[in-house]
Amino acid sequence: MVSKTEESLLRQLENQVENGGGGAWEYLSLVRKLKLRRSDKVLKHGLILLNDPKKRSALGPDEWTLYEQVAIAALDCQCLDVGKDCIKVLQKKFPDSKRVGRLEAMLLEAKGSWAEAEKAYTSLLEDNALDQVISMRRVAMAKARGDILGAIDWLNKYLEIFMADHDAWRELAEIYLSLQMYKQAAFCYEELILAQPTIPLHHLAYADVLYTIGGLENLQTAKKYYASTIELTGGKNTRALYGVCLCTSAIAQLTKGKNNEDKEISKLAAAALEKDYKQISPDKVSLLGSALKTMKLQ
Amino acid sequence: MSNGGDCKYVIHQNAYIKLVLHALNHKTSAVNGVLLGRLSGEVVEITESVPLFHTSQIGLLPPLEIALITIEEYYSSQGLSIVGYFHANERFDDLELGSVARNIGDHIHRYFPQSAVLLLDNRKLGALRNKKDAAPIMQLYTRDSSKSWKQVESTGTSRLTTKEPSANIVLLDFISSNKWNEIVDFDDHLDDISKDWLNSGLFK
């Protein structure tokens, strides 16, 4: 997950690089550090660096890291020749390297030679069964082939070993969501909240899933998690503010207004939304007003 | 007429292009959108579209409910209703209409019985540059009396057309100028309410 400062730095570097202002290596390093998927830009600017012998030697040992980064970006953009060339350079420099072996297997994946890629990964794992990255590739391959249930299977096996991998839990939750397996997605978010209780995104996602499953108890719990999201974000999360309003409206509908629900919090959330829209998006204030009215009347 | 059994669907260029550009803006995930328009006799005119989500939010109710309430409010003042749903799958070769899309389609169908579900055909999108085709690069699904979404075959007279015959040419033009970078969807708006999900400045 990217912080706001990192995001604005990234955008700034991206603009600079795209408009010929230099800073390509800083941009590429930031993308690598944040593990972002910007393959078309990485490919474009990485290749410019690699094809310039002066710039390439100025990188020193980082040259090889760049070859790896560009290779992966090339595979993602289906520029298989570029990918192959980069991998060849790395093979020459680092013969018998497992890291290069992984790239070779990814090339097979990009070509669609699934069985061969599978064989390559299995043999790489024989020597090092605890290689996280390669274990993850198996999940990615299953997903790419459309074998979603297989991906879930592999991911669950992966999480049995690497249960602290939060990104993996999030990926699993998202796969469950795409299949509308909401209860299983909820379980993943519960694990994430336990592991990282101060990350508001987990609370928000959990609340969204509970609301989607529905039922009075879930709606009441969802409301609590929207509230904790609001607290953790200092009231700045639009989705959580809307969420509180939706929960109040849905609970009122379910109980036909009979229970003594705390409507105070939704009034506060509605007021906060109105204040934000007035300040930032004034042309949509009246729309917000009618939407809120619709929810209260429901 | 109580179902979409015999309706024809005509989609205006701007609505059509917005949806495809949205999909191109988020190549690595599924995206969806709503279709707005009106019924004129036996033709459903899709005059507008709003791109909705590009994250895993697609399967979740709260953002969808907020979006539908807000969009309905805005467009009803223009005499338009929600007439359908657009979906683009995450993977290139996935041409199946998944359960999330079907469920959202069902919900929209309850309020507009002639509603359509459009699924982006990635292969046709990829082939667009080489094969000059005026047909929309989407598959049309309608709900028949069996209460399930069935694909309408595009043989003979197509039931889904773009209002302007040159829509695909304009689309290709926008694609080559990376116009997709300017598309704002409801997800973007919820993350930053200064972003305009109406995309009012897009085609100016």
Side-chain angles (χ1 to χ4, degrees), chain B residues 22 25 51 182-186 188-189 195-199:
Chain B
H22 183 221
N25 196 16
E182 297 174 36
I183 293 272
V184 171
D185 65 9
F186 218 84
D188 299 326
H189 176 81
K195 299 226 170 104
D196 177 23
W197 51 264
L198 285 168
N199 289 289

Side-chain angles (χ1 to χ4, degrees), chain B residues 5-202:
Chain B
D6 306 300
C7 268
K8 282 215 162 112
Y9 299 85
V10 176
I11 181 166
H12 287 215
Q13 181 170 291
N14 285 356
Y16 171 68
I17 290 178
K18 225 190 277 183
L19 296 168
V20 181
L21 289 180
H22 183 221
L24 286 169
N25 196 16
H26 303 283
K27 294 187 181 82
T28 56
S29 66
V31 300
N32 61 357
V34 277
L35 311 172
L36 297 133
R38 56 171 79 84
L39 180 64
S40 319
E42 298 208 359
V43 176
V44 174
E45 264 203 81
I46 303 166
T47 57
E48 260 302 351
S49 63
V50 176
L52 285 177
F53 308 114
H54 60 266
T55 61
S56 57
Q57 307 293 324
I58 286 183
L60 294 169
L61 273 185
L64 180 64
E65 287 187 13
I66 297 289
L68 290 178
I69 292 174
T70 312
I71 292 171
E72 184 111 58
E73 278 294 333
Y74 180 82
Y75 284 103
S76 60
S77 61
Q78 295 180 9
L80 298 176
S81 14
I82 297 181
V83 301
Y85 172 75
F86 168 79
H87 194 96
N89 284 325
E90 184 180 6
R91 283 176 305 109
F92 176 77
D93 48 9
D94 184 1
L95 274 172
E96 208 188 295
L97 192 66
S99 59
V100 172
R102 285 174 194 271
N103 285 342
I104 300 179
D106 285 340
H107 177 84
I108 292 176
H109 179 90
R110 237 170 274 145
Y111 296 94
F112 190 79
Q114 296 84 3
S115 57
V117 169
L118 300 180
L119 182 68
L120 182 68
D121 188 329
N122 289 311
R123 283 173 304 192
K124 285 204 186 138
L125 174 58
L128 205 55
R129 216 176 302 250
N130 302 322
K131 177 175 178 236
K132 296 286 181 260
D133 193 354
I137 51 175
M138 298 168 184
Q139 289 179 352
L140 169 68
Y141 289 79
T142 55
R143 246 180 72 153
D144 58 11
S145 46
S146 75
K147 294 211 174 116
S148 63
W149 293 95
K150 292 253 159 59
Q151 187 184 348
V152 173
E153 291 307 323
S154 50
T155 48
T157 24
S158 188
R159 277 174 63 189
L160 172 69
T161 51
T162 52
K163 179 153 189 267
E164 300 85 340
S166 54
N168 278 335
I169 300 180
V170 179
L171 173 63
L172 277 173
D173 198 38
F174 279 139
I175 292 177
S176 49
S177 64
N178 292 357
K179 188 86 173 163
W180 65 72
N181 280 321
E182 297 174 36
I183 293 272
V184 171
D185 65 9
F186 218 84
D187 250 337
D188 299 326
H189 176 81
L190 287 175
D191 288 335
D192 176 0
I193 56 175
S194 70
K195 299 226 170 104
D196 177 23
W197 51 264
L198 285 168
N199 289 289
S200 3
L202 185 67

Side-chain angles (χ1 to χ4, degrees), chain A residues 264-297:
Chain A
E264 200 50 45
I265 186 173
S266 67
K267 286 203 193 115
L268 289 170
L273 279 170
E274 273 163 347
K275 178 160 161 245
D276 285 340
Y277 269 85
K278 263 196 201 119
Q279 212 176 10
I280 302 173
S281 194
D283 56 329
K284 300 224 167 52
V285 170
S286 60
L287 250 187
L288 170 72
S290 353
L292 289 173
K293 223 182 281 173
T294 312
M295 282 189 260
K296 287 197 191 119
L297 287 172

Side-chain angles (χ1 to χ4, degrees), chain A residues 48-59:
Chain A
I48 294 176
L49 275 181
L50 287 176
N51 286 330
D52 181 336
K54 236 193 283 176
K55 291 208 184 110
R56 211 172 60 221
S57 52
L59 293 173

